[in-house]
Amino acid sequence: GFTRGRQSRECVVVLETFLDFHCPFSRKLFGVLLPVLESFPTVEHRVVIHVQPWHSQATAMSMVVLASHMVSK
């Protein structure tokens, strides 16, 4: 997984979300969660990619997400 946004010792709360980016429910949660997290500067958001085997393209999509995160650093 990866940490999205702030990553510091000043963060009081760590929120870990287990997401499959191919899952429509995970996608909906992620879209709702992002604006809420912007309102709370002391929250560190850690995304753990949890691939669900019944989503046919989930593995490839998760690898692309991780690769793009690594390249953007």
Side-chain angles (χ1 to χ4, degrees):
F2 58 91
T3 300
R4 192 194 135 299
R6 296 171 273 293
Q7 183 178 8
S8 69
R9 297 183 187 272
E10 298 170 7
C11 291
V12 179
V13 176
V14 175
L15 176 66
E16 288 189 343
T17 54
F18 293 79
L19 301 173
D20 178 356
F21 290 111
H22 199 263
C23 175
F25 301 108
S26 289
R27 240 182 286 136
K28 186 175 181 179
L29 172 70
F30 196 66
V32 170
L33 196 59
L34 291 181
V36 173
L37 286 172
E38 296 300 323
S39 304
F40 297 96
T42 58
V43 175
E44 179 181 317
H45 182 207
R46 294 182 187 164
V47 178
V48 179
I49 298 175
H50 180 75
V51 178
Q52 299 175 19
W54 52 86
H55 291 138
S56 60
Q57 299 296 322
T59 302
M61 191 178 293
S62 297
M63 291 171 73
V64 168
V65 169
L66 284 174
S68 66
H69 178 73
M70 291 174 154
V71 169
S72 68
K73 283 187 173 185

